[in-house]
């Protein structure tokens, strides 16, 4: 998605069109990038919500088009804000709201956003999902904690990840899939946004590291099918997790 920077209404219109197309193609769920309606902005006085306007907008889309939608938004707190990612199902019910665990201090995100302290789990069409946001991908221990839950077959990673670090993105998405034997659904923005260029590289990666689909340098809907039984079969035939030294690791779960 080529996000219109700090233009919520413009992005609402863009996402409505995407949701209509996704529904036409019989998608079960549509995942959008981090901070879907504003871009990666530190201007929380403008972007942070206390009225749940993004939630209301997406809920109406889900009901109108009969599909689930995952989207990024900013929640207003007393002193700071939270970088949130929510998933609403086709009936308009909130399945999950995850708060980005690791604010990106390199860009100053930690000065405006508080980090979350919990892991998300939700089911879409009987498949188990979790969420991590952008910079979270650089912390493999978070994914180890997420994937301790055997119900998790896919982890969604919405992001605003600049093109200058695209090789890291490509390597880390595959690494997180391979080491945890889980699908990775990595959803990035694309194009020039607020002076930075994003190459997209949105992809779906299978639990064995195979790249199923990838979209580079263009805004488009990309489709893939998630089959939780494939993750189960791989985990059974090649049980890596059985050798993990859990006595040495402290996890959030």
């Amino acid at each position: 998605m080529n996000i219109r920077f700090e233009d919520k209404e413009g992005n609402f219109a863009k996402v409505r069109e995407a949701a209509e197309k996704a529904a036409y193609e019989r998608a079960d769920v549509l995942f959008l990038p981090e901070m879907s309606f504003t871009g990666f902005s530190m201007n929380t006085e403008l972007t942070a919500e206390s009225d749940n306007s993004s939630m209301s907008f997406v809920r109406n889309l889900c009901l109108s088009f009969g599909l689930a939608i995952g989207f990024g938004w900013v929640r207003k707190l007393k002193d700071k804000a939270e970088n949130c990612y929510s998933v609403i199902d086709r009936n308009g019910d909130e399945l999950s709201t995850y708060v980005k665990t690791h604010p990106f201090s390199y860009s100053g995100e930690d000065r405006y956003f508080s980090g979350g302290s919990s892991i998300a789990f939700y089911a879409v069409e009987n498949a188990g999902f979790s969420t991590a946001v952008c910079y979270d991908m650089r912390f493999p221990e978070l994914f180890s904690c997420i994937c301790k839950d055997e119900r998790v077959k896919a982890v969604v990673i919405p992001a605003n990840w600049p093109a200058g670090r695209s090789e890291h993105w490509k390597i880390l998405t595959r690494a997180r899939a391979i080491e945890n034997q889980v699908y990775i659904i990595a959803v990035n923005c694309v194009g020039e946004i607020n002076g930075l260029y994003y190459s997209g590289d949105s992809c779906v990666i299978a639990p064995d590291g195979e790249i199923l689909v990838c979209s580079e340098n263009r805004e488009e809907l990309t489709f893939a099918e998630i089959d939780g039984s494939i993750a189960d079969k791989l985990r059974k035939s090649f049980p890596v997790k059985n050798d993990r030294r859990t006595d040495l690791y402290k996890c959030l779960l």
Side-chain angles (χ1 to χ4, degrees):
M1 179 178 175
N2 185 199
I3 302 171
R4 298 178 182 179
F5 189 67
E6 296 182 352
D7 179 4
K8 189 178 292 185
E9 293 302 320
N11 290 309
F12 279 175
K14 186 183 288 262
V15 169
R16 174 176 288 278
E17 182 178 344
E20 184 175 9
K21 290 179 180 178
Y24 178 80
E25 296 290 342
R26 294 185 162 184
D28 294 307
V29 56
L30 170 66
F31 290 112
L32 304 173
E34 176 187 21
M35 294 192 191
S36 311
F37 307 120
T38 63
F40 191 70
S41 171
M42 304 300 169
N43 185 8
T44 55
E45 290 296 319
L46 174 66
T47 64
E49 302 178 10
S50 57
D51 60 356
N52 292 325
S53 58
S54 293
M55 188 83 69
S56 297
F57 167 75
V58 172
R59 180 174 285 115
N60 288 334
L61 285 187
C62 293
L63 291 170
S64 296
F65 296 113
L67 80 165
I69 299 177
F71 63 100
W73 60 288
V74 177
R75 178 160 55 197
K76 186 177 182 59
L77 300 178
K78 183 177 180 180
D79 298 319
K80 292 185 178 182
E82 290 177 326
N83 185 342
C84 300
Y85 197 84
S86 296
V87 183
I88 306 294
D89 72 11
R90 65 175 73 243
N91 298 312
D93 295 325
E94 181 181 343
L95 297 179
S96 169
T97 293
Y98 168 78
V99 178
K100 186 177 183 179
T101 302
H102 304 92
F104 188 37
S105 61
Y106 182 82
S107 69
E109 185 181 9
D110 59 319
R111 299 201 301 269
Y112 302 94
F113 292 85
S114 296
S117 58
S118 62
I119 289 171
F121 173 79
Y122 50 98
V124 178
E125 302 298 324
N126 298 317
F129 286 76
S130 189
T131 303
V133 174
C134 199
Y135 188 51
D136 284 340
M137 188 164 59
R138 290 187 179 274
F139 300 89
E141 60 273 20
L142 174 63
F143 287 77
S144 295
C145 294
I146 288 171
C147 295
K148 278 184 68 178
D149 189 335
E150 289 291 332
R151 297 174 299 170
V152 175
K153 313 302 182 190
V155 181
V156 181
I157 308 174
N160 278 216
W161 192 289
R165 293 186 286 276
S166 64
E167 287 304 310
H168 292 189
W169 169 269
K170 293 172 183 177
I171 292 167
L172 292 173
T173 50
R174 294 191 73 190
R176 298 295 87 87
I178 292 167
E179 68 196 7
N180 294 291
Q181 299 177 311
V182 69
Y183 284 93
I184 292 294
I185 303 170
V187 190
N188 197 21
C189 59
V190 68
E192 186 175 348
I193 306 171
N194 192 35
L196 286 177
Y197 185 77
Y198 300 84
S199 55
D201 305 304
S202 295
C203 55
V204 178
I205 300 174
D208 63 358
E210 179 187 359
I211 299 172
L212 301 180
V213 292
C214 186
S215 177
E216 299 178 351
N217 293 303
R218 61 185 179 276
E219 181 180 71
E220 65 175 353
L221 286 172
T222 301
F223 296 90
E225 184 173 346
I226 303 302
D227 183 350
S229 68
I230 290 177
D232 289 334
K233 290 175 183 177
L234 178 61
R235 294 169 186 176
K236 185 176 181 179
S237 64
F238 190 53
V240 175
K241 292 183 182 180
N242 291 349
D243 296 326
R244 183 170 286 158
R245 291 288 304 278
T246 54
D247 58 314
L248 298 180
Y249 309 134
K250 291 185 177 181
C251 287
L252 297 177
L253 290 178

